[in-house]
Amino acid sequence: MMLRRLVLTSALLWSAAANYSLFTIDSSLIKAQTFTLVELNCENLFDARHDSLKHDQEYLPDGTRHWTHGRYWQKVNAIGQEILAASDSLPDLVALVEVENDSVLHALTRRSLLANAGYQYLMTSSPDVRGIDVALLYLPRRFTLLGHESIGVPLSADQRPTRDILYIKGVIGSVDTLHVYVVHAPSRWGGERRTRPNRLRVAEVMSRHIQTLGPQARVVVAGDFNDYADSPSLQYLYRQGLTNVTARARGSHGGARGTYRFRGEWRSIDHVLASPPLAARVDSVYIHDAPFLLEDDDRYGGRKPRRTFQGYRYQPPGFSDHLPLVVCFSAE
């Protein structure tokens, strides 16, 4: 127990003190008619224990990344810090991508810098071979859970299994019923054109589920689509009536022009989409690019997200190669 506590660096402890008011905030200060959603790809939030049913050997103490318990707990706290800093008050909903299992979510919500926030969580248990899943954190005092399910995505026989889609139904603020989908579409590994049908399949499966809710349903879809705003899978969802409310999102501190940086160019594969009744309520949208989440890009110039590893070189505290997307919805 003591060893796990010792992984908090002095920088994180100072940050926890600075942000203490964020996670002890009086709920009466939160406007009942508004809510905030944050989407974040955590970049391999794995624990340091082996799951015999998954290929997670890379993130073990004796694995290629020497993923020790100390490094794991530092990563958990870094993600907690990132969530706390993303908005002026605690986000009501946090859609997370690339989280390994229930123990990781328990650690994040009960034993990290988020411990006093009161978040509950839901997550998938997907057939993904590496064991990564998606999850939703929610504040029970703000979001009343009505139901949830994991939606499987069947791919062709020659494709690796992918992540399930997480569907959650609940009541929040002045919204009658809110339907939330968290998605992590298949990657482009092997080529964009070759893997395109896999991402289109995710869009199709999700779209069919959304259509059962009716035309006036308040729907929000958040996650890593592994596609850009003008890619075929996103275009398909637009034709089904969804609006990409984060298509023009920019950094809150002025630097980021996307949620991640590839070869010196800002791009976005993280998106938040909404149905018409909810899209009309978007009050503000931004990418949280606080200076502590960035580092110098020595190769291409400028700044880039401060990820946990640069190649195989560990660089604490290490956050993620993606920046958080933040969407604030106003009263009807």
PDB file of all heavy atoms in Angstrom, residues 139-172:
ATOM      1  N   LEU A 139     -21.418  11.302 -12.657  1.00  0.00           N
ATOM      2  CA  LEU A 139     -21.705  11.749 -11.297  1.00  0.00           C
ATOM      3  C   LEU A 139     -23.144  11.370 -10.953  1.00  0.00           C
ATOM      4  O   LEU A 139     -24.079  11.917 -11.538  1.00  0.00           O
ATOM      5  CB  LEU A 139     -21.519  13.266 -11.183  1.00  0.00           C
ATOM      6  CG  LEU A 139     -20.087  13.788 -11.351  1.00  0.00           C
ATOM      7  CD1 LEU A 139     -20.078  15.306 -11.367  1.00  0.00           C
ATOM      8  CD2 LEU A 139     -19.185  13.258 -10.232  1.00  0.00           C
ATOM      9  N   PRO A 140     -23.369  10.450 -10.023  1.00  0.00           N
ATOM     10  CA  PRO A 140     -24.731  10.006  -9.710  1.00  0.00           C
ATOM     11  C   PRO A 140     -25.656  11.142  -9.265  1.00  0.00           C
ATOM     12  O   PRO A 140     -26.865  11.072  -9.495  1.00  0.00           O
ATOM     13  CB  PRO A 140     -24.524   8.986  -8.582  1.00  0.00           C
ATOM     14  CG  PRO A 140     -23.117   8.514  -8.746  1.00  0.00           C
ATOM     15  CD  PRO A 140     -22.355   9.702  -9.269  1.00  0.00           C
ATOM     16  N   ARG A 141     -25.095  12.175  -8.647  1.00  0.00           N
ATOM     17  CA  ARG A 141     -25.944  13.287  -8.211  1.00  0.00           C
ATOM     18  C   ARG A 141     -26.421  14.142  -9.381  1.00  0.00           C
ATOM     19  O   ARG A 141     -27.315  14.975  -9.213  1.00  0.00           O
ATOM     20  CB  ARG A 141     -25.191  14.149  -7.199  1.00  0.00           C
ATOM     21  CG  ARG A 141     -23.953  14.858  -7.735  1.00  0.00           C
ATOM     22  CD  ARG A 141     -23.294  15.698  -6.648  1.00  0.00           C
ATOM     23  NE  ARG A 141     -22.110  16.390  -7.111  1.00  0.00           N
ATOM     24  CZ  ARG A 141     -20.894  15.895  -7.060  1.00  0.00           C
ATOM     25  NH1 ARG A 141     -20.696  14.669  -6.585  1.00  0.00           N
ATOM     26  NH2 ARG A 141     -19.850  16.589  -7.486  1.00  0.00           N
ATOM     27  N   ARG A 142     -25.807  13.923 -10.539  1.00  0.00           N
ATOM     28  CA  ARG A 142     -26.187  14.710 -11.716  1.00  0.00           C
ATOM     29  C   ARG A 142     -26.791  13.854 -12.820  1.00  0.00           C
ATOM     30  O   ARG A 142     -27.554  14.342 -13.641  1.00  0.00           O
ATOM     31  CB  ARG A 142     -24.932  15.413 -12.263  1.00  0.00           C
ATOM     32  CG  ARG A 142     -24.359  16.455 -11.331  1.00  0.00           C
ATOM     33  CD  ARG A 142     -25.121  17.756 -11.392  1.00  0.00           C
ATOM     34  NE  ARG A 142     -24.889  18.381 -12.687  1.00  0.00           N
ATOM     35  CZ  ARG A 142     -25.841  18.859 -13.477  1.00  0.00           C
ATOM     36  NH1 ARG A 142     -27.103  18.752 -13.134  1.00  0.00           N
ATOM     37  NH2 ARG A 142     -25.539  19.420 -14.620  1.00  0.00           N
ATOM     38  N   PHE A 143     -26.439  12.574 -12.839  1.00  0.00           N
ATOM     39  CA  PHE A 143     -26.877  11.674 -13.897  1.00  0.00           C
ATOM     40  C   PHE A 143     -27.510  10.444 -13.264  1.00  0.00           C
ATOM     41  O   PHE A 143     -26.846   9.691 -12.553  1.00  0.00           O
ATOM     42  CB  PHE A 143     -25.684  11.272 -14.770  1.00  0.00           C
ATOM     43  CG  PHE A 143     -26.024  10.368 -15.936  1.00  0.00           C
ATOM     44  CD1 PHE A 143     -26.581  10.894 -17.093  1.00  0.00           C
ATOM     45  CD2 PHE A 143     -25.774   9.005 -15.872  1.00  0.00           C
ATOM     46  CE1 PHE A 143     -26.887  10.062 -18.175  1.00  0.00           C
ATOM     47  CE2 PHE A 143     -26.071   8.176 -16.941  1.00  0.00           C
ATOM     48  CZ  PHE A 143     -26.636   8.707 -18.095  1.00  0.00           C
ATOM     49  N   THR A 144     -28.802  10.254 -13.524  1.00  0.00           N
ATOM     50  CA  THR A 144     -29.525   9.101 -12.991  1.00  0.00           C
ATOM     51  C   THR A 144     -29.507   7.990 -14.025  1.00  0.00           C
ATOM     52  O   THR A 144     -30.104   8.112 -15.098  1.00  0.00           O
ATOM     53  CB  THR A 144     -30.979   9.477 -12.654  1.00  0.00           C
ATOM     54  OG1 THR A 144     -30.981  10.567 -11.719  1.00  0.00           O
ATOM     55  CG2 THR A 144     -31.718   8.292 -12.054  1.00  0.00           C
ATOM     56  N   LEU A 145     -28.817   6.919 -13.712  1.00  0.00           N
ATOM     57  CA  LEU A 145     -28.663   5.809 -14.646  1.00  0.00           C
ATOM     58  C   LEU A 145     -29.972   5.039 -14.785  1.00  0.00           C
ATOM     59  O   LEU A 145     -30.585   4.639 -13.796  1.00  0.00           O
ATOM     60  CB  LEU A 145     -27.563   4.869 -14.157  1.00  0.00           C
ATOM     61  CG  LEU A 145     -27.272   3.642 -15.013  1.00  0.00           C
ATOM     62  CD1 LEU A 145     -26.711   4.054 -16.369  1.00  0.00           C
ATOM     63  CD2 LEU A 145     -26.301   2.699 -14.281  1.00  0.00           C
ATOM     64  N   LEU A 146     -30.379   4.814 -16.052  1.00  0.00           N
ATOM     65  CA  LEU A 146     -31.582   4.036 -16.341  1.00  0.00           C
ATOM     66  C   LEU A 146     -31.268   2.676 -16.951  1.00  0.00           C
ATOM     67  O   LEU A 146     -32.067   1.739 -16.844  1.00  0.00           O
ATOM     68  CB  LEU A 146     -32.497   4.812 -17.288  1.00  0.00           C
ATOM     69  CG  LEU A 146     -33.031   6.158 -16.779  1.00  0.00           C
ATOM     70  CD1 LEU A 146     -33.887   6.815 -17.855  1.00  0.00           C
ATOM     71  CD2 LEU A 146     -33.816   5.991 -15.489  1.00  0.00           C
ATOM     72  N   GLY A 147     -30.124   2.548 -17.603  1.00  0.00           N
ATOM     73  CA  GLY A 147     -29.768   1.281 -18.223  1.00  0.00           C
ATOM     74  C   GLY A 147     -28.511   1.406 -19.049  1.00  0.00           C
ATOM     75  O   GLY A 147     -28.065   2.516 -19.361  1.00  0.00           O
ATOM     76  N   HIS A 148     -27.932   0.260 -19.405  1.00  0.00           N
ATOM     77  CA  HIS A 148     -26.732   0.273 -20.242  1.00  0.00           C
ATOM     78  C   HIS A 148     -26.553  -1.094 -20.867  1.00  0.00           C
ATOM     79  O   HIS A 148     -27.112  -2.100 -20.388  1.00  0.00           O
ATOM     80  CB  HIS A 148     -25.494   0.645 -19.426  1.00  0.00           C
ATOM     81  CG  HIS A 148     -25.137  -0.367 -18.367  1.00  0.00           C
ATOM     82  ND1 HIS A 148     -24.205  -1.355 -18.567  1.00  0.00           N
ATOM     83  CD2 HIS A 148     -25.610  -0.555 -17.119  1.00  0.00           C
ATOM     84  CE1 HIS A 148     -24.110  -2.093 -17.486  1.00  0.00           C
ATOM     85  NE2 HIS A 148     -24.949  -1.638 -16.583  1.00  0.00           N
ATOM     86  N   GLU A 149     -25.754  -1.151 -21.920  1.00  0.00           N
ATOM     87  CA  GLU A 149     -25.423  -2.411 -22.568  1.00  0.00           C
ATOM     88  C   GLU A 149     -24.173  -2.251 -23.428  1.00  0.00           C
ATOM     89  O   GLU A 149     -23.806  -1.138 -23.822  1.00  0.00           O
ATOM     90  CB  GLU A 149     -26.577  -2.925 -23.428  1.00  0.00           C
ATOM     91  CG  GLU A 149     -26.886  -2.062 -24.646  1.00  0.00           C
ATOM     92  CD  GLU A 149     -27.960  -2.675 -25.538  1.00  0.00           C
ATOM     93  OE1 GLU A 149     -27.712  -3.788 -26.077  1.00  0.00           O
ATOM     94  OE2 GLU A 149     -29.014  -2.042 -25.710  1.00  0.00           O
ATOM     95  N   SER A 150     -23.512  -3.368 -23.692  1.00  0.00           N
ATOM     96  CA  SER A 150     -22.404  -3.405 -24.635  1.00  0.00           C
ATOM     97  C   SER A 150     -22.933  -3.902 -25.966  1.00  0.00           C
ATOM     98  O   SER A 150     -23.652  -4.910 -26.013  1.00  0.00           O
ATOM     99  CB  SER A 150     -21.291  -4.334 -24.141  1.00  0.00           C
ATOM    100  OG  SER A 150     -20.637  -3.792 -23.021  1.00  0.00           O
ATOM    101  N   ILE A 151     -22.581  -3.208 -27.029  1.00  0.00           N
ATOM    102  CA  ILE A 151     -23.043  -3.561 -28.367  1.00  0.00           C
ATOM    103  C   ILE A 151     -21.862  -4.124 -29.145  1.00  0.00           C
ATOM    104  O   ILE A 151     -20.892  -3.418 -29.426  1.00  0.00           O
ATOM    105  CB  ILE A 151     -23.623  -2.329 -29.087  1.00  0.00           C
ATOM    106  CG1 ILE A 151     -24.737  -1.693 -28.251  1.00  0.00           C
ATOM    107  CG2 ILE A 151     -24.130  -2.704 -30.473  1.00  0.00           C
ATOM    108  CD1 ILE A 151     -25.193  -0.343 -28.767  1.00  0.00           C
ATOM    109  N   GLY A 152     -21.936  -5.396 -29.480  1.00  0.00           N
ATOM    110  CA  GLY A 152     -20.853  -6.034 -30.214  1.00  0.00           C
ATOM    111  C   GLY A 152     -20.809  -5.602 -31.666  1.00  0.00           C
ATOM    112  O   GLY A 152     -21.839  -5.243 -32.254  1.00  0.00           O
ATOM    113  N   VAL A 153     -19.621  -5.628 -32.240  1.00  0.00           N
ATOM    114  CA  VAL A 153     -19.426  -5.231 -33.640  1.00  0.00           C
ATOM    115  C   VAL A 153     -18.786  -6.392 -34.388  1.00  0.00           C
ATOM    116  O   VAL A 153     -17.565  -6.603 -34.317  1.00  0.00           O
ATOM    117  CB  VAL A 153     -18.539  -3.981 -33.763  1.00  0.00           C
ATOM    118  CG1 VAL A 153     -18.400  -3.565 -35.227  1.00  0.00           C
ATOM    119  CG2 VAL A 153     -19.093  -2.832 -32.928  1.00  0.00           C
ATOM    120  N   PRO A 154     -19.574  -7.176 -35.134  1.00  0.00           N
ATOM    121  CA  PRO A 154     -18.997  -8.290 -35.894  1.00  0.00           C
ATOM    122  C   PRO A 154     -18.240  -7.790 -37.118  1.00  0.00           C
ATOM    123  O   PRO A 154     -18.760  -6.990 -37.895  1.00  0.00           O
ATOM    124  CB  PRO A 154     -20.226  -9.106 -36.298  1.00  0.00           C
ATOM    125  CG  PRO A 154     -21.354  -8.120 -36.317  1.00  0.00           C
ATOM    126  CD  PRO A 154     -21.037  -7.116 -35.251  1.00  0.00           C
ATOM    127  N   LEU A 155     -17.012  -8.266 -37.258  1.00  0.00           N
ATOM    128  CA  LEU A 155     -16.205  -7.909 -38.417  1.00  0.00           C
ATOM    129  C   LEU A 155     -15.998  -9.157 -39.275  1.00  0.00           C
ATOM    130  O   LEU A 155     -16.425 -10.250 -38.923  1.00  0.00           O
ATOM    131  CB  LEU A 155     -14.867  -7.326 -37.969  1.00  0.00           C
ATOM    132  CG  LEU A 155     -14.928  -6.054 -37.117  1.00  0.00           C
ATOM    133  CD1 LEU A 155     -13.527  -5.612 -36.733  1.00  0.00           C
ATOM    134  CD2 LEU A 155     -15.650  -4.936 -37.856  1.00  0.00           C
ATOM    135  N   SER A 156     -15.337  -8.996 -40.399  1.00  0.00           N
ATOM    136  CA  SER A 156     -15.087 -10.120 -41.282  1.00  0.00           C
ATOM    137  C   SER A 156     -14.146 -11.123 -40.616  1.00  0.00           C
ATOM    138  O   SER A 156     -13.419 -10.789 -39.673  1.00  0.00           O
ATOM    139  CB  SER A 156     -14.490  -9.637 -42.604  1.00  0.00           C
ATOM    140  OG  SER A 156     -13.273  -8.945 -42.374  1.00  0.00           O
ATOM    141  N   ALA A 157     -14.140 -12.336 -41.129  1.00  0.00           N
ATOM    142  CA  ALA A 157     -13.397 -13.426 -40.501  1.00  0.00           C
ATOM    143  C   ALA A 157     -11.895 -13.174 -40.434  1.00  0.00           C
ATOM    144  O   ALA A 157     -11.208 -13.695 -39.552  1.00  0.00           O
ATOM    145  CB  ALA A 157     -13.676 -14.731 -41.249  1.00  0.00           C
ATOM    146  N   ASP A 158     -11.356 -12.371 -41.352  1.00  0.00           N
ATOM    147  CA  ASP A 158      -9.915 -12.141 -41.370  1.00  0.00           C
ATOM    148  C   ASP A 158      -9.497 -10.925 -40.548  1.00  0.00           C
ATOM    149  O   ASP A 158      -8.338 -10.518 -40.589  1.00  0.00           O
ATOM    150  CB  ASP A 158      -9.425 -11.982 -42.814  1.00  0.00           C
ATOM    151  CG  ASP A 158     -10.062 -10.784 -43.515  1.00  0.00           C
ATOM    152  OD1 ASP A 158     -11.149 -10.352 -43.079  1.00  0.00           O
ATOM    153  OD2 ASP A 158      -9.474 -10.301 -44.501  1.00  0.00           O
ATOM    154  N   GLN A 159     -10.432 -10.325 -39.828  1.00  0.00           N
ATOM    155  CA  GLN A 159     -10.136  -9.151 -39.015  1.00  0.00           C
ATOM    156  C   GLN A 159     -10.115  -9.516 -37.530  1.00  0.00           C
ATOM    157  O   GLN A 159     -10.892 -10.356 -37.070  1.00  0.00           O
ATOM    158  CB  GLN A 159     -11.178  -8.052 -39.252  1.00  0.00           C
ATOM    159  CG  GLN A 159     -11.208  -7.533 -40.671  1.00  0.00           C
ATOM    160  CD  GLN A 159      -9.906  -6.868 -41.072  1.00  0.00           C
ATOM    161  OE1 GLN A 159      -9.262  -6.224 -40.261  1.00  0.00           O
ATOM    162  NE2 GLN A 159      -9.534  -7.028 -42.336  1.00  0.00           N
ATOM    163  N   ARG A 160      -9.237  -8.851 -36.791  1.00  0.00           N
ATOM    164  CA  ARG A 160      -9.194  -9.074 -35.354  1.00  0.00           C
ATOM    165  C   ARG A 160     -10.458  -8.512 -34.701  1.00  0.00           C
ATOM    166  O   ARG A 160     -11.004  -7.506 -35.166  1.00  0.00           O
ATOM    167  CB  ARG A 160      -7.975  -8.392 -34.737  1.00  0.00           C
ATOM    168  CG  ARG A 160      -6.652  -8.908 -35.244  1.00  0.00           C
ATOM    169  CD  ARG A 160      -5.502  -8.475 -34.351  1.00  0.00           C
ATOM    170  NE  ARG A 160      -5.498  -7.041 -34.075  1.00  0.00           N
ATOM    171  CZ  ARG A 160      -4.628  -6.440 -33.273  1.00  0.00           C
ATOM    172  NH1 ARG A 160      -3.708  -7.163 -32.652  1.00  0.00           N
ATOM    173  NH2 ARG A 160      -4.667  -5.140 -33.073  1.00  0.00           N
ATOM    174  N   PRO A 161     -10.938  -9.129 -33.618  1.00  0.00           N
ATOM    175  CA  PRO A 161     -12.099  -8.578 -32.914  1.00  0.00           C
ATOM    176  C   PRO A 161     -11.825  -7.155 -32.456  1.00  0.00           C
ATOM    177  O   PRO A 161     -10.684  -6.789 -32.147  1.00  0.00           O
ATOM    178  CB  PRO A 161     -12.263  -9.521 -31.713  1.00  0.00           C
ATOM    179  CG  PRO A 161     -11.571 -10.771 -32.117  1.00  0.00           C
ATOM    180  CD  PRO A 161     -10.431 -10.355 -32.994  1.00  0.00           C
ATOM    181  N   THR A 162     -12.862  -6.345 -32.409  1.00  0.00           N
ATOM    182  CA  THR A 162     -12.705  -4.951 -32.020  1.00  0.00           C
ATOM    183  C   THR A 162     -13.467  -4.659 -30.734  1.00  0.00           C
ATOM    184  O   THR A 162     -14.132  -5.534 -30.162  1.00  0.00           O
ATOM    185  CB  THR A 162     -13.170  -4.014 -33.148  1.00  0.00           C
ATOM    186  OG1 THR A 162     -12.764  -2.669 -32.831  1.00  0.00           O
ATOM    187  CG2 THR A 162     -14.691  -4.048 -33.311  1.00  0.00           C
ATOM    188  N   ARG A 163     -13.380  -3.413 -30.294  1.00  0.00           N
ATOM    189  CA  ARG A 163     -14.038  -3.017 -29.057  1.00  0.00           C
ATOM    190  C   ARG A 163     -15.551  -2.948 -29.233  1.00  0.00           C
ATOM    191  O   ARG A 163     -16.047  -2.508 -30.268  1.00  0.00           O
ATOM    192  CB  ARG A 163     -13.545  -1.635 -28.616  1.00  0.00           C
ATOM    193  CG  ARG A 163     -12.226  -1.616 -27.902  1.00  0.00           C
ATOM    194  CD  ARG A 163     -11.035  -1.839 -28.781  1.00  0.00           C
ATOM    195  NE  ARG A 163     -10.884  -0.874 -29.860  1.00  0.00           N
ATOM    196  CZ  ARG A 163      -9.864  -0.815 -30.689  1.00  0.00           C
ATOM    197  NH1 ARG A 163      -8.894  -1.696 -30.617  1.00  0.00           N
ATOM    198  NH2 ARG A 163      -9.811   0.087 -31.635  1.00  0.00           N
ATOM    199  N   ASP A 164     -16.292  -3.355 -28.192  1.00  0.00           N
ATOM    200  CA  ASP A 164     -17.731  -3.142 -28.183  1.00  0.00           C
ATOM    201  C   ASP A 164     -18.025  -1.652 -28.072  1.00  0.00           C
ATOM    202  O   ASP A 164     -17.191  -0.857 -27.619  1.00  0.00           O
ATOM    203  CB  ASP A 164     -18.379  -3.853 -26.993  1.00  0.00           C
ATOM    204  CG  ASP A 164     -18.369  -5.363 -27.121  1.00  0.00           C
ATOM    205  OD1 ASP A 164     -17.987  -5.873 -28.202  1.00  0.00           O
ATOM    206  OD2 ASP A 164     -18.741  -6.040 -26.138  1.00  0.00           O
ATOM    207  N   ILE A 165     -19.238  -1.283 -28.468  1.00  0.00           N
ATOM    208  CA  ILE A 165     -19.743   0.073 -28.254  1.00  0.00           C
ATOM    209  C   ILE A 165     -20.479   0.085 -26.919  1.00  0.00           C
ATOM    210  O   ILE A 165     -21.287  -0.808 -26.637  1.00  0.00           O
ATOM    211  CB  ILE A 165     -20.710   0.485 -29.383  1.00  0.00           C
ATOM    212  CG1 ILE A 165     -20.010   0.429 -30.740  1.00  0.00           C
ATOM    213  CG2 ILE A 165     -21.291   1.871 -29.130  1.00  0.00           C
ATOM    214  CD1 ILE A 165     -20.963   0.461 -31.920  1.00  0.00           C
ATOM    215  N   LEU A 166     -20.196   1.048 -26.082  1.00  0.00           N
ATOM    216  CA  LEU A 166     -20.889   1.175 -24.794  1.00  0.00           C
ATOM    217  C   LEU A 166     -22.079   2.108 -24.954  1.00  0.00           C
ATOM    218  O   LEU A 166     -21.934   3.236 -25.416  1.00  0.00           O
ATOM    219  CB  LEU A 166     -19.933   1.722 -23.734  1.00  0.00           C
ATOM    220  CG  LEU A 166     -20.519   1.943 -22.337  1.00  0.00           C
ATOM    221  CD1 LEU A 166     -21.031   0.627 -21.735  1.00  0.00           C
ATOM    222  CD2 LEU A 166     -19.477   2.586 -21.420  1.00  0.00           C
ATOM    223  N   TYR A 167     -23.256   1.616 -24.579  1.00  0.00           N
ATOM    224  CA  TYR A 167     -24.487   2.416 -24.641  1.00  0.00           C
ATOM    225  C   TYR A 167     -25.006   2.619 -23.221  1.00  0.00           C
ATOM    226  O   TYR A 167     -25.108   1.668 -22.441  1.00  0.00           O
ATOM    227  CB  TYR A 167     -25.551   1.730 -25.482  1.00  0.00           C
ATOM    228  CG  TYR A 167     -26.945   2.301 -25.283  1.00  0.00           C
ATOM    229  CD1 TYR A 167     -27.266   3.583 -25.740  1.00  0.00           C
ATOM    230  CD2 TYR A 167     -27.934   1.572 -24.622  1.00  0.00           C
ATOM    231  CE1 TYR A 167     -28.537   4.115 -25.545  1.00  0.00           C
ATOM    232  CE2 TYR A 167     -29.199   2.095 -24.430  1.00  0.00           C
ATOM    233  CZ  TYR A 167     -29.501   3.367 -24.888  1.00  0.00           C
ATOM    234  OH  TYR A 167     -30.756   3.902 -24.683  1.00  0.00           O
ATOM    235  N   ILE A 168     -25.348   3.883 -22.882  1.00  0.00           N
ATOM    236  CA  ILE A 168     -25.857   4.231 -21.561  1.00  0.00           C
ATOM    237  C   ILE A 168     -27.090   5.115 -21.715  1.00  0.00           C
ATOM    238  O   ILE A 168     -27.101   6.050 -22.526  1.00  0.00           O
ATOM    239  CB  ILE A 168     -24.803   4.996 -20.721  1.00  0.00           C
ATOM    240  CG1 ILE A 168     -23.483   4.223 -20.693  1.00  0.00           C
ATOM    241  CG2 ILE A 168     -25.303   5.243 -19.307  1.00  0.00           C
ATOM    242  CD1 ILE A 168     -22.474   4.735 -21.687  1.00  0.00           C
ATOM    243  N   LYS A 169     -28.088   4.832 -20.937  1.00  0.00           N
ATOM    244  CA  LYS A 169     -29.318   5.623 -20.922  1.00  0.00           C
ATOM    245  C   LYS A 169     -29.516   6.191 -19.519  1.00  0.00           C
ATOM    246  O   LYS A 169     -29.389   5.480 -18.530  1.00  0.00           O
ATOM    247  CB  LYS A 169     -30.512   4.741 -21.304  1.00  0.00           C
ATOM    248  CG  LYS A 169     -31.867   5.418 -21.262  1.00  0.00           C
ATOM    249  CD  LYS A 169     -32.952   4.419 -21.624  1.00  0.00           C
ATOM    250  CE  LYS A 169     -34.347   5.039 -21.584  1.00  0.00           C
ATOM    251  NZ  LYS A 169     -35.399   4.025 -21.915  1.00  0.00           N
ATOM    252  N   GLY A 170     -29.812   7.497 -19.444  1.00  0.00           N
ATOM    253  CA  GLY A 170     -30.010   8.110 -18.141  1.00  0.00           C
ATOM    254  C   GLY A 170     -30.677   9.456 -18.243  1.00  0.00           C
ATOM    255  O   GLY A 170     -31.009   9.925 -19.332  1.00  0.00           O
ATOM    256  N   VAL A 171     -30.887  10.081 -17.098  1.00  0.00           N
ATOM    257  CA  VAL A 171     -31.500  11.404 -17.023  1.00  0.00           C
ATOM    258  C   VAL A 171     -30.479  12.367 -16.440  1.00  0.00           C
ATOM    259  O   VAL A 171     -29.842  12.071 -15.429  1.00  0.00           O
ATOM    260  CB  VAL A 171     -32.767  11.386 -16.146  1.00  0.00           C
ATOM    261  CG1 VAL A 171     -33.347  12.794 -16.009  1.00  0.00           C
ATOM    262  CG2 VAL A 171     -33.811  10.438 -16.731  1.00  0.00           C
ATOM    263  N   ILE A 172     -30.320  13.511 -17.072  1.00  0.00           N
ATOM    264  CA  ILE A 172     -29.355  14.496 -16.607  1.00  0.00           C
ATOM    265  C   ILE A 172     -29.937  15.899 -16.723  1.00  0.00           C
ATOM    266  O   ILE A 172     -30.560  16.247 -17.727  1.00  0.00           O
ATOM    267  CB  ILE A 172     -28.030  14.400 -17.398  1.00  0.00           C
ATOM    268  CG1 ILE A 172     -26.948  15.277 -16.759  1.00  0.00           C
ATOM    269  CG2 ILE A 172     -28.210  14.739 -18.867  1.00  0.00           C
ATOM    270  CD1 ILE A 172     -25.561  14.965 -17.257  1.00  0.00           C
TER     271      ILE A 172
END
